[in-house]
Amino acid sequence: MTQTLQIEGMEIHVEGNGPRTLVMLHGWPDTRRVWDGTVRAMSVIHRCVTLTLPGFEVGSTSGATPVPTVDDMVRRLQAVLDVVSPRAPVTLLLHDWGCIFGYELAMRLPQRVEAVVAVDIGDYNARAYTSVLTPGQKFSVLGYQLWLATAWAVGRYLHGGLANRMTRWMAATLRCPIPVSEVHWQMNYPYAMRWFQLRGGLKTQQVQLQCPVLYVFGERKPFMFHSPRWVHTLRASEDGAAHGLRCGHWVMLEQSEAFHALVLRWLAGRERRKMARH
Protein backbone atom coordinates (compact mmCIF):
# COMPACT_ATOMS: atom_id res chain seq x y z
CA MET A 1 0.00 0.00 0.00
CA THR A 2 1.35 3.42 -0.98
CA GLN A 3 0.69 6.53 1.07
CA THR A 4 0.84 9.87 -0.74
CA LEU A 5 1.64 13.10 1.09
CA GLN A 6 2.00 16.73 0.05
CA ILE A 7 4.98 18.42 1.70
CA GLU A 8 6.51 21.75 0.66
CA GLY A 9 4.78 21.53 -2.70
CA MET A 10 6.21 18.09 -3.42
CA GLU A 11 4.31 14.82 -3.77
CA ILE A 12 5.82 12.27 -1.40
CA HIS A 13 5.20 8.53 -1.79
CA VAL A 14 5.66 6.17 1.16
CA GLU A 15 5.59 2.41 0.65
CA GLY A 16 6.43 -0.59 2.83
CA ASN A 17 6.96 -1.20 6.52
CA GLY A 18 9.92 -1.70 8.77
CA PRO A 19 11.96 0.07 11.42
CA ARG A 20 14.27 1.76 8.90
CA THR A 21 13.06 4.60 6.68
CA LEU A 22 14.84 4.92 3.33
CA VAL A 23 14.54 8.31 1.62
CA MET A 24 15.50 8.15 -2.07
CA LEU A 25 16.67 11.17 -4.06
CA HIS A 26 17.18 11.01 -7.84
CA GLY A 27 19.30 13.04 -10.24
CA TRP A 28 19.25 14.37 -13.82
CA PRO A 29 17.13 13.84 -15.90
CA ASP A 30 15.07 11.52 -13.73
CA THR A 31 12.10 11.58 -11.39
CA ARG A 32 11.20 9.46 -8.39
CA ARG A 33 10.25 6.66 -10.82
CA VAL A 34 13.92 5.83 -11.32
CA TRP A 35 13.71 4.16 -7.89
CA ASP A 36 10.64 1.99 -8.68
CA GLY A 37 12.66 -1.23 -8.83
CA THR A 38 14.54 -0.32 -5.68
CA VAL A 39 11.28 0.33 -3.85
CA ARG A 40 9.99 -3.09 -4.90
CA ALA A 41 13.19 -4.72 -3.63
CA MET A 42 13.40 -2.79 -0.36
CA SER A 43 9.80 -2.25 0.73
CA VAL A 44 9.40 -5.86 1.86
CA ILE A 45 11.45 -5.08 4.98
CA HIS A 46 12.02 -1.32 4.85
CA ARG A 47 9.87 1.79 4.63
CA CYS A 48 10.62 3.56 1.34
CA VAL A 49 10.08 7.26 0.64
CA THR A 50 10.38 8.71 -2.87
CA LEU A 51 9.82 12.16 -4.31
CA THR A 52 10.56 14.14 -7.44
CA LEU A 53 12.89 17.07 -6.87
CA PRO A 54 11.36 20.53 -7.45
CA GLY A 55 11.38 21.46 -11.14
CA PHE A 56 11.97 17.90 -12.35
CA GLU A 57 8.29 16.98 -12.60
CA VAL A 58 7.20 15.43 -15.89
CA GLY A 59 4.82 17.72 -17.78
CA SER A 60 6.34 20.91 -16.43
CA THR A 61 6.09 23.46 -19.22
CA SER A 62 6.79 26.75 -17.51
CA GLY A 63 9.96 28.33 -16.23
CA ALA A 64 7.98 30.57 -13.90
CA THR A 65 8.41 28.31 -10.84
CA PRO A 66 11.28 29.70 -8.76
CA VAL A 67 14.42 27.62 -8.84
CA PRO A 68 15.32 26.53 -5.30
CA THR A 69 18.59 27.65 -3.77
CA VAL A 70 20.71 25.06 -1.99
CA ASP A 71 19.30 26.39 1.30
CA ASP A 72 15.75 26.04 -0.06
CA MET A 73 16.41 22.47 -1.14
CA VAL A 74 17.81 21.45 2.23
CA ARG A 75 14.91 23.12 4.04
CA ARG A 76 12.35 21.29 1.89
CA LEU A 77 14.09 17.95 2.37
CA GLN A 78 14.29 18.56 6.11
CA ALA A 79 10.54 19.15 6.13
CA VAL A 80 10.08 15.79 4.42
CA LEU A 81 12.19 14.02 7.06
CA ASP A 82 10.28 15.74 9.84
CA VAL A 83 7.00 14.34 8.51
CA VAL A 84 7.97 10.85 7.34
CA SER A 85 10.33 10.04 10.25
CA PRO A 86 9.94 12.64 13.01
CA ARG A 87 11.45 10.56 15.82
CA ALA A 88 14.19 8.57 14.13
CA PRO A 89 17.03 9.31 11.68
CA VAL A 90 16.70 8.04 8.12
CA THR A 91 18.92 6.30 5.60
CA LEU A 92 19.41 8.24 2.37
CA LEU A 93 19.63 6.49 -1.03
CA LEU A 94 21.12 8.97 -3.45
CA HIS A 95 21.99 9.16 -7.14
CA ASP A 96 23.57 11.88 -9.29
CA TRP A 97 22.27 15.33 -8.18
CA GLY A 98 20.43 13.53 -5.41
CA CYS A 99 23.89 12.80 -3.99
CA ILE A 100 24.90 16.45 -4.08
CA PHE A 101 21.75 17.70 -2.37
CA GLY A 102 21.58 14.65 -0.08
CA TYR A 103 25.18 15.05 1.07
CA GLU A 104 24.46 18.66 1.97
CA LEU A 105 21.38 17.58 3.93
CA ALA A 106 23.37 14.94 5.81
CA MET A 107 26.21 17.33 6.64
CA ARG A 108 23.93 20.09 7.86
CA LEU A 109 21.63 17.75 9.82
CA PRO A 110 23.82 14.83 10.92
CA GLN A 111 21.40 13.91 13.70
CA ARG A 112 18.67 13.23 11.12
CA VAL A 113 20.68 10.88 8.86
CA GLU A 114 22.02 7.58 10.20
CA ALA A 115 23.51 6.22 6.96
CA VAL A 116 23.95 7.02 3.26
CA VAL A 117 23.84 4.77 0.22
CA ALA A 118 25.37 6.84 -2.60
CA VAL A 119 25.27 5.84 -6.25
CA ASP A 120 27.98 7.00 -8.67
CA ILE A 121 28.73 10.47 -7.23
CA GLY A 122 31.41 10.62 -4.56
CA ASP A 123 33.75 13.43 -3.52
CA TYR A 124 32.79 15.50 -6.56
CA ASN A 125 34.02 18.82 -5.13
CA ALA A 126 37.33 17.65 -3.64
CA ARG A 127 40.72 18.52 -5.07
CA ALA A 128 41.56 14.82 -4.83
CA TYR A 129 38.90 14.23 -7.49
CA THR A 130 39.67 17.03 -9.93
CA SER A 131 43.39 16.30 -9.72
CA VAL A 132 42.99 12.78 -11.16
CA LEU A 133 40.91 13.78 -14.19
CA THR A 134 42.78 13.98 -17.46
CA PRO A 135 42.44 17.14 -19.59
CA GLY A 136 40.15 15.21 -21.95
CA GLN A 137 37.93 14.07 -19.09
CA LYS A 138 37.74 17.60 -17.70
CA PHE A 139 36.72 18.85 -21.14
CA SER A 140 34.00 16.17 -21.36
CA VAL A 141 32.56 17.12 -17.98
CA LEU A 142 32.67 20.81 -18.83
CA GLY A 143 31.12 20.19 -22.24
CA TYR A 144 27.98 18.34 -21.24
CA GLN A 145 27.39 20.43 -18.12
CA LEU A 146 27.77 23.77 -19.89
CA TRP A 147 25.51 22.53 -22.70
CA LEU A 148 22.77 21.73 -20.21
CA ALA A 149 23.27 24.99 -18.31
CA THR A 150 23.00 26.88 -21.60
CA ALA A 151 19.86 24.95 -22.52
CA TRP A 152 18.31 26.10 -19.23
CA ALA A 153 19.13 29.73 -20.07
CA VAL A 154 17.73 29.32 -23.61
CA GLY A 155 14.50 27.92 -22.18
CA ARG A 156 14.16 30.57 -19.51
CA TYR A 157 14.94 33.59 -21.65
CA LEU A 158 14.57 32.66 -25.34
CA HIS A 159 12.73 29.57 -26.58
CA GLY A 160 11.45 26.58 -24.61
CA GLY A 161 11.12 24.31 -27.63
CA LEU A 162 14.75 24.81 -28.64
CA ALA A 163 15.83 24.31 -25.04
CA ASN A 164 13.95 21.00 -24.89
CA ARG A 165 15.58 19.84 -28.12
CA MET A 166 19.02 20.71 -26.76
CA THR A 167 18.31 18.91 -23.50
CA ARG A 168 16.86 15.81 -25.15
CA TRP A 169 19.78 15.60 -27.56
CA MET A 170 22.21 15.51 -24.66
CA ALA A 171 20.07 12.98 -22.78
CA ALA A 172 20.14 10.72 -25.84
CA THR A 173 23.89 11.25 -26.28
CA LEU A 174 24.48 10.24 -22.66
CA ARG A 175 22.15 7.24 -23.11
CA CYS A 176 19.84 8.28 -20.30
CA PRO A 177 17.27 5.54 -19.62
CA ILE A 178 14.32 7.90 -19.07
CA PRO A 179 11.98 8.27 -22.09
CA VAL A 180 13.11 11.30 -24.08
CA SER A 181 9.56 12.69 -24.05
CA GLU A 182 9.84 13.10 -20.27
CA VAL A 183 13.05 15.15 -20.44
CA HIS A 184 12.68 18.94 -20.33
CA TRP A 185 14.92 21.96 -19.95
CA GLN A 186 13.64 22.92 -16.47
CA MET A 187 15.52 19.89 -15.11
CA ASN A 188 18.81 21.58 -16.00
CA TYR A 189 18.77 24.24 -13.30
CA PRO A 190 21.41 22.53 -11.10
CA TYR A 191 23.89 22.93 -13.96
CA ALA A 192 22.95 26.61 -14.29
CA MET A 193 23.48 26.94 -10.55
CA ARG A 194 26.96 25.48 -10.91
CA TRP A 195 28.17 27.34 -14.00
CA PHE A 196 26.10 30.53 -14.15
CA GLN A 197 25.70 31.11 -10.39
CA LEU A 198 21.92 30.87 -10.71
CA ARG A 199 20.17 31.50 -7.38
CA GLY A 200 23.45 32.15 -5.60
CA GLY A 201 25.29 29.26 -7.18
CA LEU A 202 26.00 25.75 -5.99
CA LYS A 203 27.34 26.62 -2.55
CA THR A 204 27.93 23.23 -0.98
CA GLN A 205 30.41 22.00 1.57
CA GLN A 206 33.24 19.66 0.70
CA VAL A 207 31.87 16.16 1.15
CA GLN A 208 32.75 14.88 4.63
CA LEU A 209 30.03 12.65 6.01
CA GLN A 210 29.87 11.68 9.66
CA CYS A 211 27.60 8.67 9.11
CA PRO A 212 28.43 5.27 7.54
CA VAL A 213 28.44 5.30 3.73
CA LEU A 214 27.92 2.57 1.15
CA TYR A 215 29.15 3.79 -2.23
CA VAL A 216 28.24 1.88 -5.40
CA PHE A 217 29.54 3.04 -8.78
CA GLY A 218 29.54 2.01 -12.41
CA GLU A 219 32.90 0.97 -13.81
CA ARG A 220 32.03 1.31 -17.52
CA LYS A 221 32.14 5.08 -18.00
CA PRO A 222 34.47 7.53 -19.75
CA PHE A 223 35.27 9.06 -16.35
CA MET A 224 34.40 8.58 -12.70
CA PHE A 225 32.72 10.98 -10.31
CA HIS A 226 34.97 10.12 -7.36
CA SER A 227 38.63 10.02 -6.48
CA PRO A 228 40.56 6.82 -5.71
CA ARG A 229 41.04 8.24 -2.22
CA TRP A 230 37.25 8.32 -1.67
CA VAL A 231 36.94 4.62 -2.47
CA HIS A 232 40.03 3.67 -0.45
CA THR A 233 38.83 5.61 2.60
CA LEU A 234 35.41 3.94 2.55
CA ARG A 235 36.87 0.47 2.11
CA ALA A 236 39.25 1.05 4.99
CA SER A 237 36.56 2.33 7.36
CA GLU A 238 34.77 0.12 9.89
CA ASP A 239 31.22 0.95 8.76
CA GLY A 240 31.71 2.06 5.17
CA ALA A 241 32.05 0.18 1.91
CA ALA A 242 32.60 0.85 -1.80
CA HIS A 243 31.76 -1.46 -4.69
CA GLY A 244 32.16 -1.08 -8.44
CA LEU A 245 29.77 -2.87 -10.80
CA ARG A 246 30.19 -3.50 -14.53
CA CYS A 247 27.73 -0.89 -15.78
CA GLY A 248 27.33 2.79 -16.50
CA HIS A 249 25.95 5.68 -14.47
CA TRP A 250 22.46 4.29 -13.70
CA VAL A 251 23.68 1.44 -11.50
CA MET A 252 20.30 0.69 -9.91
CA LEU A 253 18.78 0.14 -13.36
CA GLU A 254 21.64 -1.49 -15.25
CA GLN A 255 22.71 -3.86 -12.46
CA SER A 256 19.55 -3.86 -10.38
CA GLU A 257 19.83 -7.34 -8.83
CA ALA A 258 23.46 -6.90 -7.81
CA PHE A 259 22.83 -3.38 -6.53
CA HIS A 260 19.81 -4.33 -4.45
CA ALA A 261 21.62 -7.34 -3.00
CA LEU A 262 24.55 -5.12 -1.99
CA VAL A 263 22.29 -2.57 -0.32
CA LEU A 264 20.18 -5.14 1.53
CA ARG A 265 23.27 -6.99 2.74
CA TRP A 266 24.95 -3.79 3.92
CA LEU A 267 21.84 -2.56 5.74
CA ALA A 268 21.38 -5.97 7.40
CA GLY A 269 25.01 -5.87 8.54
CA ARG A 270 24.48 -2.45 10.06
CA GLU A 271 21.47 -3.78 11.98
CA ARG A 272 23.53 -6.69 13.33
CA ARG A 273 26.35 -4.37 14.41
CA LYS A 274 23.87 -2.02 16.07
CA MET A 275 22.33 -4.88 18.05
CA ALA A 276 25.76 -6.18 19.06
CA ARG A 277 26.74 -2.79 20.43
CA HIS A 278 23.65 -2.73 22.63
Side-chain angles (χ1 to χ4, degrees):
M1 179 178 177
T2 300
Q3 180 185 14
T4 303
L5 308 169
Q6 293 291 333
I7 304 172
E8 290 288 327
M10 299 180 293
E11 188 172 273
I12 313 301
H13 296 255
V14 184
E15 187 169 343
N17 283 304
R20 184 186 294 272
T21 298
L22 311 179
V23 177
M24 305 178 189
L25 303 180
H26 65 86
W28 182 92
D30 300 308
T31 68
R32 69 175 189 87
R33 303 310 299 265
V34 77
W35 295 111
D36 282 356
T38 303
V39 170
R40 286 192 295 271
M42 303 289 157
S43 60
V44 177
I45 55 176
H46 298 296
R47 188 164 171 260
C48 299
V49 178
T50 58
L51 59 100
T52 295
L53 294 174
F56 280 69
E57 301 89 349
V58 173
S60 178
T61 58
S62 171
T65 302
V67 169
T69 64
V70 173
D71 289 345
D72 291 337
M73 187 71 79
V74 171
R75 178 186 59 79
R76 292 186 187 190
L77 294 175
Q78 180 182 2
V80 173
L81 302 193
D82 289 344
V83 172
V84 302
S85 187
R87 290 179 293 276
V90 305
T91 294
L92 298 178
L93 267 67
L94 312 172
H95 179 244
D96 195 75
W97 281 100
C99 288
I100 294 173
F101 295 125
Y103 290 159
E104 194 67 16
L105 175 68
M107 289 187 289
R108 294 191 189 188
L109 299 169
Q111 74 281 6
R112 299 294 286 118
V113 178
E114 66 174 348
V116 168
V117 177
V119 184
D120 219 57
I121 302 291
D123 54 342
Y124 69 96
N125 58 2
R127 181 173 296 179
Y129 169 60
T130 55
S131 66
V132 299
L133 291 175
T134 67
Q137 290 171 333
K138 289 179 180 178
F139 181 79
S140 295
V141 173
L142 179 67
Y144 88 82
Q145 293 193 358
L146 271 179
W147 178 273
L148 293 171
T150 301
W152 183 90
V154 169
R156 181 64 179 85
Y157 300 111
L158 297 175
H159 193 283
L162 174 59
N164 277 340
R165 289 193 293 274
M166 292 174 65
T167 304
R168 290 167 180 174
W169 178 84
M170 183 56 71
T173 300
L174 296 176
R175 299 182 180 179
C176 299
I178 187 172
V180 69
S181 61
E182 298 181 5
V183 177
H184 53 84
W185 64 264
Q186 291 90 342
M187 294 174 163
N188 301 346
Y189 69 80
Y191 297 105
M193 292 172 72
R194 178 171 186 180
W195 295 106
F196 298 159
Q197 297 303 300
L198 175 69
R199 298 287 284 156
L202 196 67
K203 295 179 180 178
T204 56
Q205 306 170 62
Q206 185 166 322
V207 182
Q208 293 180 328
L209 299 170
Q210 300 179 28
C211 61
V213 177
L214 168 63
Y215 181 60
V216 187
F217 60 97
E219 298 175 323
R220 292 181 170 178
K221 305 191 303 290
F223 46 83
M224 299 295 160
F225 295 101
H226 63 264
S227 69
R229 186 181 71 178
W230 168 265
V231 170
H232 174 76
T233 300
L234 288 176
R235 288 175 174 169
S237 66
E238 180 182 358
D239 289 329
H243 297 273
L245 296 177
R246 296 180 67 80
C247 62
H249 182 56
W250 282 267
V251 179
M252 62 287 205
L253 299 180
E254 299 171 39
Q255 285 281 1
S256 58
E257 290 187 12
F259 171 71
H260 297 146
L262 275 173
V263 175
L264 287 168
R265 186 164 61 247
W266 188 74
L267 292 177
R270 283 198 40 74
E271 292 296 334
R272 288 193 296 270
R273 286 191 292 273
K274 186 187 297 185
M275 293 176 65
R277 289 168 184 161
H278 292 290

